[in-house]
Amino acid sequence: MIEVLPGFPDNVLAFVCHEQVTKQDYEAVLVPAVEKALRAHEKLRLYYETAPDLAGIDAGAMWEDTKVGMGHFTRWEKFAVVTDIEWISRTMKFFSFLMPGEMRVFKADETQAAREWIAA
């Protein structure tokens, strides 16, 4: 499940992932939020947090994530990923050189720092 997090500036899309994330979660929550924000802003920032109850991410969800990211490649300004899941952290760090904007990966105990960084 993907949940939209409130309390961020308009140019920041903020999400937390719980339980099992599916392609349908992307289609119902993330994609509409991205499309709406892109109508209002030239550049966007993305805050992505994994909750302690995250059990997994379906392959279809990962493909949707790639399509959203690449489909609006030049419109991303910053990425903050908050996770203690090692494979997600390593993957984000590995692909950070491909990202058009600045990316930082934070541990779960650095959530406040991540939120401040993405909003600054």
Side-chain angles (χ1 to χ4, degrees), residues 9 16-17 19-20 24 26 46 55 57 65 75 80 85 88-89 108:
V16 61
C17 296
E19 301 168 359
Q20 189 70 28
Q24 291 76 23
Y26 269 81
L46 181 67
I57 303 171
D65 187 63
R75 311 259 325 253
I85 300 171
I88 293 175
S89 179

Side-chain angles (χ1 to χ4, degrees), residues 6-116:
F8 287 82
D10 286 349
N11 67 328
V12 176
L13 295 168
F15 304 97
V16 61
C17 296
H18 294 276
E19 301 168 359
Q20 189 70 28
V21 176
T22 67
K23 177 182 178 183
Q24 291 76 23
D25 295 323
Y26 269 81
E27 292 171 344
V29 179
L30 193 135
V31 172
V34 168
E35 290 173 355
K36 180 180 178 185
L38 285 170
R39 287 191 293 274
H41 299 281
E42 183 61 31
K43 296 280 187 178
L44 296 177
R45 298 173 180 197
L46 181 67
Y47 176 89
Y48 183 90
E49 182 179 315
T50 60
D53 65 350
L54 181 67
I57 303 171
D58 293 350
M62 287 189 260
W63 177 243
E64 288 301 309
D65 187 63
T66 302
K67 287 184 353 187
V68 169
M70 298 308 275
H72 307 291
F73 189 72
T74 61
R75 311 259 325 253
W76 302 111
E77 184 177 30
K78 273 183 164 181
F79 301 87
V81 178
V82 180
T83 188
D84 283 338
I85 300 171
E86 197 56 37
W87 74 264
I88 293 175
S89 179
R90 281 194 314 267
T91 301
M92 294 294 94
K93 288 175 183 176
F94 179 77
F95 286 107
S96 66
F97 74 94
L98 294 174
M99 301 295 186
E102 186 177 359
M103 173 185 280
R104 289 190 54 192
V105 178
F106 298 84
K107 293 287 189 187
D109 63 358
E110 300 173 309
T111 299
Q112 187 58 38
R115 289 176 180 217
E116 290 170 5

